[in-house]
Amino acid sequence: NQIIPVRDEFGVSKAARERHSLLTRIDRWVIAHIRRASAVDPFVQTIFDMALRGAACWRIHFEPSSWKDAPVEEDSYEDRGMKLPFSAIPVDPMGVYPAPGGKWPLPWMIEEQTRSAWEVMLRYTNWSNPGRKEPHEDVQWVEYWADVEEGNQYVCLADGAVCLDMENPVGVVPYEF
């Protein structure tokens, strides 16, 4: 473990070129992982949302169980089977309501979307189905995320009935604009 002075890591020196090469490989690997881990390519969706709506939003879904503890022997992270513990899910910016006047990090966020009653019935067996919706009908889905300072909550509502009310599993509001 040799300590390299910071000034040698910048510019055109050999150490700077090696550092640039390493960071470039890591960046490419992270971008490839984000694209593979999402059903819709978040980068393409961001371009579409920016052109159509003037804004773009991602929800970062954390999956800590996917992180593998692998020894650092290879140069390629993929060869070791490593996977980042998150994926980026593009969200329609027209259905996301951040805290008014909120600065980053956001204290809370509300996301609204339409889901099928069937999906809610299967995933949340405790849902009371207040409108007595048939499985093929749509329900109004609302998610509320709050950080530690705002109560550390994660609440999901379907047609106004609580499906899930728990502590925020990540402690922060997992959205990026």
Side-chain angles (χ1 to χ4, degrees):
N1 291 345
Q2 182 182 9
I3 298 176
I4 300 172
V6 174
R7 65 180 179 272
D8 288 346
E9 294 182 17
F10 299 99
V12 294
S13 67
K14 181 179 178 188
R17 289 191 307 271
E18 288 174 359
R19 181 176 176 85
H20 171 74
S21 174
L22 174 67
L23 292 175
T24 300
R25 284 193 321 228
I26 292 171
D27 288 347
R28 287 181 182 157
W29 179 74
V30 168
I31 290 169
H33 166 76
I34 290 171
R35 285 191 156 141
R36 270 193 317 275
S38 301
V40 174
D41 186 336
F43 299 103
V44 172
Q45 187 65 41
T46 297
I47 293 167
F48 176 78
D49 286 341
M50 289 297 290
L52 183 66
R53 309 220 189 260
C57 182
W58 290 4
R59 180 175 64 225
I60 309 302
H61 178 73
F62 294 94
E63 303 168 29
S65 62
S66 71
W67 189 264
K68 293 182 179 178
D69 293 328
V72 181
E73 296 174 4
E74 305 282 333
D75 283 340
S76 171
Y77 295 103
E78 288 299 320
D79 291 343
R80 289 185 272 143
M82 290 187 72
K83 182 178 172 188
L84 292 176
F86 66 86
S87 59
I89 302 166
V91 177
D92 184 356
M94 300 297 283
V96 178
Y97 308 98
K103 296 179 182 177
W104 191 88
L106 294 168
W108 57 267
M109 175 79 79
I110 295 173
E111 179 185 348
E112 182 180 31
Q113 56 182 267
T114 303
R115 288 194 176 179
S116 69
W118 178 250
E119 180 184 355
V120 177
M121 289 173 186
L122 283 178
R123 194 163 184 189
Y124 304 96
T125 55
N126 64 333
W127 180 51
S128 63
N129 194 358
R132 301 292 171 235
K133 299 276 179 132
E134 294 294 320
H136 66 277
E137 294 182 294
D138 289 336
V139 297
Q140 192 63 31
W141 181 262
V142 177
E143 290 185 22
Y144 169 76
W145 292 83
D147 68 5
V148 175
E149 294 177 6
E150 291 289 324
N152 203 31
Q153 283 185 290
Y154 173 50
V155 180
C156 297
L157 306 168
D159 276 353
V162 176
C163 295
L164 184 67
D165 186 356
M166 61 183 277
E167 184 176 293
N168 184 342
V170 293
V172 296
V173 177
Y175 289 83
E176 285 297 323
F177 281 92

